[in-house]
Amino acid sequence: MNKVLINDTTLRDGEQAAGVAFNLQEKVAIAKFLDTIGVHEIEVGIPAMGESEMRAIAAISDLGLSAKLLGWNRAVVSDIQASMACGLTRMHISIPVSGIQIAAKFHGQWRVTLQQLKDSISFAVDQGLWVAVGGEDSSRADENFLFDVAHYAQEWGASRFRFCDTVGVLDPFSTYTKVNRLVAALIIPVEIHTHNDFGLATANALAGIKAGASSVNTTVNGLGERAGNAALEEVVMALKRIHGIDVGIETPRLLELSRLVAAASGCSVPPWKAIVGENTFAHESGIHAHGVLQNPTTYEPFAPEEVGWERRLVVGKHSGRHLLSNVLQQYGIILNTEETQSVLDAVRQQSIQKKRSLTTQEVLHLVYEQRVSHAIR
Ligand SMILES: CC(=O)SCCNC(=O)CCNC(=O)[C@H](O)C(C)(C)COP(=O)(O)OP(=O)(O)OC[C@H]1O[C@@H](n2cnc3c(N)ncnc32)[C@H](O)[C@@H]1OP(=O)(O)O
Ligand SMILES: O=C(O)CCC(=O)C(=O)O
């Protein structure tokens, strides 16, 4: 794996998640944040949606960010004109490439589809714009037809081709094979775009990169159509920690970014969500906490600070004496073996009743109760 560009599409595919609607301020704040932490490219939205979206995109375009900005367009000249009116100079032009999509959108007329692609690329190139082409539904396309479209796109002036697993039907093995063949067939770079319908978006994105894709689409928190897209934080950290590729993104700010997008989208992150979920560096189980207290790498793949978290030791149903003693020591409390076991028994009961772990105050209260009952005995 060589250098990898992150082309984040939170502001386009992320916002396409049903029920999500960013306002101008939110779009600007997210774009600024992505830029600040070093994201290389940002797909800022779809100018063809109309005036208010164009205003938001123009506001981002006016910021003079370091990240390269792309507008998403259908293979329609007026879409590209709308993107130009926002001040964008880099165009992404999408074209369906599978039989299913061409039947639905172009009545099966693939020649018309190709002509529309040619006209829109030519228009953009004539305007001096940088052009990337997206093969919508590449994963379900006839491979020969996909290669023909990609070759034509290259010949007509596109500078990159996006392989889209639009409905998330590939696994990492099939992604690798298909992307590898496409990369070998083209001179221009290939980008990988994956969806999470089977929970494989990040794995497939990594497989596409391993197969030679030099840029990858991500969204913050994996936000996106249906089950979402490959999550920025997962792709970046997996590249860094599993593949040893540092893409140059300031990872300690990933949590802050996740919270910004969760608030703007109204889509909260589940506690178990990789990298940014609140349980990712929380340890309750006795065996885990015992290990972590001696050496955090026993149960952590990397240090929490690397993505903006702090480690949390939580007392609850599954906790053991090492964890409890560690927490109590911070308050100068040392219990003997019998007292420790009796508090742990009470912790288990209360956790089951409350259906959660206990706060430190609740644990201290149990210690107090245990001592009172012992004194009475
Ligand atoms: C896989 C993806 O994520 S693709 C991106 C999907 N994102 C979105 O749809 C969000 C933004 N979309 C919108 O705001 C609207 O759909 C608009 C403004 C783009 C178009 O709106 P409308 O004119 O009302 O059309 P509508 O959305 O009902 O239908 C889509 C039209 O685009 C056509 N179309 C779809 N994809 C493409 C394409 N890549 N190139 C050219 N035409 C296309 C369809 O065939 C249909 O055309 P028709 O109006 O001639 O029948
Ligand atoms: O860029 C394209 O062509 C389509 C991208 C997309 O969102 C998808 O295929 O899921």
Side-chain angles (χ1 to χ4, degrees), residues 12 16 46 48-49 72 74-76 94-96 105-106 116 136 166:
R12 199 276 299 173
Q16 283 176 209
I46 306 177
M49 284 170 67
W72 191 95
R74 295 170 297 173
V76 171
S94 175
I95 196 76
K105 291 169 184 162
F106 288 89
Q116 223 168 299
E136 189 189 7
T166 301

Side-chain angles (χ1 to χ4, degrees), residues 184-340:
L186 293 180
I187 298 164
I188 55 175
V190 170
E191 177 165 87
I192 178 79
H193 178 102
T194 56
H195 276 276
N196 207 31
D197 298 70
F198 289 94
L200 292 169
T202 297
N204 290 343
L206 295 172
I209 293 166
K210 199 167 175 79
S214 53
S215 76
V216 57
N217 287 148
T218 60
T219 62
V220 178
N221 299 338
L223 190 69
E225 287 276 0
R226 305 180 308 280
N229 292 57
L232 171 76
E233 60 280 3
E234 294 173 13
V235 171
V236 167
M237 288 311 293
L239 283 172
K240 184 174 177 191
R241 282 306 192 147
I242 300 175
H243 296 289
I245 298 174
D246 189 337
V247 292
I249 285 176
E250 201 186 332
T251 62
R253 300 199 66 193
L254 285 172
L255 179 59
E256 211 181 327
L257 174 61
S258 162
R259 287 176 171 160
L260 174 70
V261 171
S265 63
C267 299
S268 55
V269 169
W272 55 85
K273 164 76 182 65
I275 316 294
V276 291
E278 73 170 86
N279 278 356
T280 44
F281 293 95
H283 309 283
E284 177 193 298
S285 296
I287 295 166
H288 288 226
H290 168 249
V292 165
L293 284 166
Q294 293 175 73
N295 175 1
T297 67
T298 48
Y299 290 102
E300 289 174 358
F302 52 84
E305 293 75 16
E306 218 175 298
V307 289
W309 279 112
E310 281 176 14
R311 179 174 306 114
R312 280 192 306 130
L313 294 176
V314 173
V315 180
K317 182 183 173 189
H318 310 92
S319 301
R321 59 200 158 83
H322 290 280
L323 169 53
L324 182 64
S325 306
N326 178 276
V327 170
L328 295 181
Q329 263 169 28
Q330 293 164 36
Y331 294 85
I333 300 170
I334 296 174
L335 302 182
N336 63 30
T337 311
E338 191 194 339
E339 289 169 330
T340 303

Side-chain angles (χ1 to χ4, degrees), residues 100-115:
I100 302 168
Q101 300 287 349
I102 293 173
K105 291 169 184 162
F106 288 89
H107 313 290
Q109 295 171 343
W110 59 268
R111 283 195 182 82
V112 176
T113 313
L114 279 178
Q115 189 58 49

